Amino acid sequence: MITVKNLTKTYTNGEIVTPVLKGIDMDIKHGEFIAIMGKSGAGKSTLLYQISLLDKPTEGTINVNGIDILNLSETERTQFRLKRLGYIFQDYALVPELTAEENVAIPLLMQGIDSNKAKGKARHIIDSIDMVGKYTNRPNQLSGGQQQRISIARAIVQEPEILFADEPTANLDSASSEQVIELMRDLHKKGQTIVMVTHEPEYTKYCDRIIYLEDGKIVSHDYKIST
Amino acid sequence: MSFFKKQLDTLSKFWSVGYFLGLRQIVRGSIWINLLIISIMTLTFLSLVVIPGILVGLTEGSFEQNREYLTGDLYLTTLPDEETIVNSQDIVRVLDSLPEVENYSVRYKIGSTVEAGYINRDDFTEEAESLSVSAFVIDPEQEEATTGLSEFLIEGEMLSSDRSGEVLIGSTLLQKYSNFSDLFEPLVNVEVGRPVKITLQGEVEDDFQREQQLLDGNNDPGQTSEFIVAGIIDSKVGELSSSIFITEQDYRRIAQQRSLQAQEIVVKHNGRFTDEQFKDIALSYGFGRYAKVQTATEAIPKFLADVQQTFGFLGNIIGFVGIIVSSITVFIVIYINALTRRKFIGILKGIGISEGAIEFAYSIQSLFYAVFGIGLGLVILYGLLVPFFVQNPIDFPFSDGILVAELIPTLTRALILVVITMIAGFLPARIIVRQNTLDSILQR
């Protein structure tokens, strides 16, 4: 599904050159739930940003379902992200002026779906994540855990091929974190491909595989049997 | 799908998502920020129209006073080679018969000398207290009906055809009111109810009188007579304040003037025509053969026309500078607004919302701020400022300055400001939107 070859990312600030990713090779198969782990500064978030098209690598290739995504124009990358990828951010990243259902519906509106249909689908997804009745709440009227679940609803509403999650539990208490991880497990059970960055080992329990990064390189792939 | 249909479809998505985002950012954003931006837009709009409007209003006020009190809607004066309006009486007869005419006033304008303080004068080696001035010879009732001259009386009363031997004197000629004492020596001993000597230019038939005039230091030949000062006229129409007014009967009596040929005829129409249309009517009766026929606009004194042109030019420059300043202001305001929302712009891009839709959202916000700000400005302008300046004109030395805000030029400036605001709102949004998505999300 995703094939990454010789991926490098180097940040340059004046004369200071900082290599963050140093020749990453990896494959992600359809339906896999993968965790990327590593110490702070290992390059795990940077790796996620490259393969999720939020950033452009310095070198290497990324192939998603046969498409070399590095050859896409900026407009094509935006379209690709809209139609085929979903994102869960560490700080939920909901638009504060939009209600829960509007936050979830906005990717559908961008695809040209009628407003009523989009809101209907958004409500359906919100119901499915046990947040019935929270449709018109604004982000500041929701707890951190609820905001993250709305963020997940927004990420999956257009049924993406791959779901990317950047430390989705980092800002949550343990109970909320557990709910979020359970939700991701449910999605995975339904066949959703998920790539998650985390530094908390206890939340990798449902993952199929854990990729360990150290100093910009993959040091190991741990295959697990999900429960 | 054809290329154009695809483009239309994309634009339609930009519009619907841009509108969706923009509207919610306005409605659910901070009311204080909205009020602040709308206030800035209102003040910007007002600065665009009020300052040039007052500059234009300053000359406009002067022009209106000239029309109202000096030239009327139609101003008939002598032809270049003539000393009087030939066939004045024929013109007057036509004016009497024209239903379009509301009022008219026939004036004789002659040179004169006013002498004051002669009763108590004991040192004849000093120059007499006198001034050479223009004298308006009028029919008081006709003049009053046409121009309302008595409005400018600051002392005394209006002339009357029932009384003789009275004069109105312009305030500029008097020391206690004059601001021009550097240019000439104004009269000191002039009081309402007291006499002054007036010499009307013309041939003197009485040798003794001429001898007396020369003894008084008056070298201009003419008929001299004593008048009682009936009142003092003070007007911002300079020509009125620097002249004297006597009745037609007195003029004919003193100057033994039998000619009925006037120097000026001031006509006001009934308001159902433009001045130009009224002029065409007058010309169709052949007035042009006997008099120089001018509309009020054409009769504007040259200095006033020059000032009007200069102020109009200054107004345009100020307006242009105002538009530049307002576009920079809007740019900064929207840029700061977009900059504070940079993270969310990045997130929207990250989840696949197109740049065009986000830019459109900011354009809609700019449009909202422009429309509401300018709308509020229009309400303040026409509901408050224009009526206020009509009631309380600014007291300039040569006019009562009003605020001129004609609808079409004002709406044109409003439209320009809307367009400039939308561009100034779009550009910063575009700058922020074009930044690297990840840098925006991580705010680095």
Side-chain angles (χ1 to χ4, degrees):
Chain A
M1 185 169 206
I2 304 177
T3 305
V4 177
K5 286 199 187 305
N6 193 30
L7 190 74
T8 66
K9 179 69 181 177
T10 303
Y11 290 107
T12 306
N13 186 2
E15 291 182 357
I16 304 167
V17 178
T18 312
V20 180
L21 298 176
K22 300 168 183 171
I24 302 282
D25 293 308
M26 60 188 270
D27 286 303
I28 297 168
K29 292 184 180 63
H30 178 77
E32 264 194 311
F33 186 177
I34 288 179
I36 301 173
M37 294 193 72
K39 289 179 185 168
S40 182
K44 50 191 187 297
S45 288
T46 304
L47 175 59
L48 186 87
Y49 298 145
Q50 312 310 308
I51 58 177
S52 66
L53 275 79
L54 287 175
D55 201 5
K56 284 184 177 173
T58 310
E59 277 180 46
T61 59
I62 303 170
N63 196 298
V64 178
N65 283 343
I67 299 168
D68 182 356
I69 58 170
L70 298 183
N71 283 336
L72 299 178
S73 68
E74 201 53 49
T75 308
E76 287 168 335
R77 285 165 71 89
T78 306
Q79 282 288 308
F80 196 92
R81 289 197 299 264
L82 175 69
K83 292 180 178 170
R84 304 173 80 156
L85 309 179
Y87 297 88
I88 303 165
F89 295 97
Q90 180 179 333
D91 58 359
Y92 335 128
L94 299 175
V95 181
E97 288 87 10
L98 303 184
T99 62
E101 69 177 355
E102 288 167 348
N103 264 293
V104 176
I106 196 157
L108 300 176
L109 293 174
M110 194 63 234
Q111 289 192 50
I113 294 170
D114 169 75
S115 175
N116 288 333
K117 276 188 188 169
K119 280 187 180 174
K121 188 166 183 187
R123 286 192 175 205
H124 178 70
I125 298 281
I126 290 171
D127 290 345
S128 73
I129 57 168
D130 290 336
M131 286 192 61
V132 179
K134 300 287 186 188
Y135 316 124
T136 56
N137 286 47
R138 303 254 294 274
N140 61 2
Q141 296 167 320
L142 299 170
S143 69
Q146 288 173 324
Q147 286 188 60
Q148 192 58 296
R149 278 190 282 158
I150 293 295
S151 167
I152 292 171
R154 180 180 64 187
I156 61 172
V157 71
Q158 84 281 29
E159 297 163 13
E161 291 169 21
I162 310 155
L163 185 60
F164 293 98
D166 184 14
E167 308 223 26
T169 57
N171 287 5
L172 301 177
D173 58 37
S174 57
S176 297
S177 297
E178 201 59 49
Q179 283 179 326
V180 166
I181 292 299
E182 288 293 337
L183 191 54
M184 291 173 75
R185 186 181 76 151
D186 291 344
L187 291 170
H188 174 228
K189 275 184 178 173
K190 291 173 191 167
Q192 179 71 60
T193 307
I194 303 173
V195 181
M196 175 177 74
V197 166
T198 183
H199 62 274
E200 295 160 303
E202 64 270 30
Y203 298 130
T204 62
K205 58 190 172 190
Y206 303 125
C207 296
D208 300 320
R209 181 157 55 115
I210 303 170
I211 295 172
Y212 288 98
L213 280 185
E214 200 175 294
D215 195 23
K217 293 178 182 168
I218 294 176
V219 288
S220 71
H221 293 260
D222 279 359
Y223 288 89
K224 298 178 71 178
I225 299 167
S226 48
T227 52
Chain B
M1 195 186 286
S2 73
F3 174 77
F4 290 110
K5 195 166 183 304
K6 208 170 175 179
Q7 292 297 313
L8 206 64
D9 187 48
T10 307
L11 274 177
S12 159
K13 285 177 194 171
F14 284 4
W15 160 253
S16 61
V17 176
Y19 178 75
F20 179 87
L21 284 171
L23 187 71
R24 280 155 183 80
Q25 280 178 18
I26 293 163
V27 174
R28 296 177 188 160
S30 164
I31 189 169
W32 298 111
I33 289 177
N34 285 341
L35 284 177
L36 177 73
I37 299 175
I38 288 172
S39 305
I40 289 170
M41 287 308 307
T42 302
L43 292 174
T44 303
F45 171 69
L46 288 177
S47 75
L48 267 185
V49 293
V50 171
I51 297 171
I54 286 176
L55 274 180
V56 174
L58 203 152
T59 50
E60 187 70 19
S62 185
F63 167 69
E64 281 305 321
Q65 289 194 347
N66 259 277
R67 171 206 285 274
E68 193 63 30
Y69 305 114
L70 186 68
T71 66
D73 303 323
L74 203 62
Y75 191 45
L76 277 59
T77 51
T78 55
L79 288 169
D81 298 331
E82 302 286 348
E83 288 186 355
T84 59
I85 298 174
V86 186
N87 289 340
S88 297
Q89 292 310 305
D90 288 344
I91 290 176
V92 165
R93 268 192 291 279
V94 174
L95 291 175
D96 279 331
S97 69
L98 283 178
E100 294 88 350
V101 173
E102 189 165 278
N103 283 303
Y104 66 86
S105 178
V106 179
R107 294 173 184 161
Y108 305 83
K109 206 170 166 189
I110 51 175
S112 70
T113 306
V114 182
E115 185 184 345
Y118 55 87
I119 291 176
N120 301 322
R121 186 181 178 198
D122 48 14
D123 184 356
F124 286 85
T125 59
E126 283 188 4
E127 275 189 29
E129 183 187 334
S130 67
L131 268 181
S132 292
V133 296
S134 286
F136 279 99
V137 177
I138 56 171
D139 174 332
E141 287 73 31
Q142 210 178 46
E143 183 70 27
E144 179 65 10
T146 309
T147 64
L149 182 65
S150 67
E151 282 179 39
F152 299 119
L153 280 170
I154 50 170
E155 282 186 51
E157 59 179 347
M158 182 63 182
L159 299 176
S160 168
S161 300
D162 299 334
R163 299 191 303 271
S164 63
E166 291 183 342
V167 63
L168 298 178
I169 297 189
S171 62
T172 306
L173 308 174
L174 309 181
Q175 193 184 53
K176 65 176 173 177
Y177 297 113
S178 181
N179 298 317
F180 298 98
S181 51
D182 290 346
L183 300 177
F184 57 84
E185 198 64 46
L187 302 171
V188 179
N189 294 296
V190 174
E191 298 288 342
V192 171
R194 299 195 62 186
V196 289
K197 268 190 208 171
I198 294 176
T199 303
L200 299 173
Q201 278 177 7
E203 290 303 314
V204 180
E205 291 175 5
D206 185 333
D207 290 342
F208 175 75
Q209 191 179 26
R210 181 67 195 130
E211 204 171 304
Q212 192 62 44
Q213 284 172 357
L214 291 170
L215 277 174
D216 290 344
N218 184 352
N219 295 320
D220 297 328
Q223 302 290 341
T224 302
S225 186
E226 197 169 65
F227 283 76
I228 298 296
V229 177
I232 311 293
I233 290 286
D234 184 37
S235 166
K236 288 181 177 173
V237 179
E239 202 170 342
L240 300 182
S241 284
S242 56
S243 301
I244 63 170
F245 299 81
I246 60 172
T247 65
E248 192 181 333
Q249 292 99 309
D250 282 339
Y251 170 57
R252 293 195 185 289
R253 177 174 54 79
I254 297 158
Q256 294 161 2
Q257 179 60 260
R258 292 181 190 89
S259 167
L260 295 173
Q261 314 297 7
Q263 272 83 24
E264 289 182 3
I265 302 175
V266 175
V267 190
K268 286 205 175 154
H269 59 69
N270 58 16
R272 294 189 194 127
F273 308 87
T274 63
D275 292 351
E276 285 70 24
Q277 287 170 331
F278 190 54
K279 179 182 174 182
D280 289 342
I281 293 170
L283 290 175
S284 73
Y285 283 93
F287 288 9
R289 285 201 299 274
Y290 311 117
K292 186 178 178 186
V293 182
Q294 293 173 289
T295 61
T297 310
E298 291 165 346
I300 296 177
K302 189 179 180 313
F303 88 95
L304 191 58
D306 290 345
V307 170
Q308 204 167 24
Q309 199 176 10
T310 306
F311 280 14
F313 180 67
L314 282 175
N316 285 338
I317 289 178
I318 291 171
F320 178 73
V321 172
I323 282 181
I324 300 284
V325 170
S326 65
S327 60
I328 292 170
T329 307
V330 173
F331 180 91
I332 291 169
V333 167
I334 299 286
Y335 186 76
I336 291 170
N337 191 20
L339 204 60
T340 58
R341 301 183 50 77
R342 186 169 161 243
K343 179 184 172 70
F344 298 104
I345 289 174
I347 287 161
L348 286 169
K349 280 174 65 187
I351 64 171
I353 306 303
S354 68
E355 293 175 357
I358 299 168
E359 287 161 1
F360 208 81
Y362 277 89
S363 295
I364 284 175
Q365 287 180 70
S366 303
L367 180 67
F368 167 84
Y369 293 133
V371 168
F372 274 77
I374 291 168
L376 183 62
L378 285 170
V379 170
I380 292 172
L381 182 68
Y382 288 112
L384 204 68
L385 294 178
V386 170
F388 175 81
F389 281 109
V390 168
Q391 293 295 317
N392 307 281
I394 305 169
D395 187 14
F396 288 112
F398 62 92
S399 78
D400 287 332
I402 52 170
L403 172 58
V404 173
E406 287 173 19
L407 192 63
I408 299 298
T410 303
L411 290 181
T412 305
R413 286 187 177 188
L415 189 66
I416 290 171
L417 190 57
V418 168
V419 173
I420 294 279
T421 304
M422 286 195 67
I423 294 169
F426 172 79
L427 287 178
R430 189 172 182 81
I431 291 170
I432 303 283
V433 165
R434 290 292 158 116
Q435 287 180 359
N436 179 284
T437 304
L438 190 61
D439 287 345
S440 296
I441 293 173
L442 301 178
Q443 294 191 289
R444 64 185 183 192

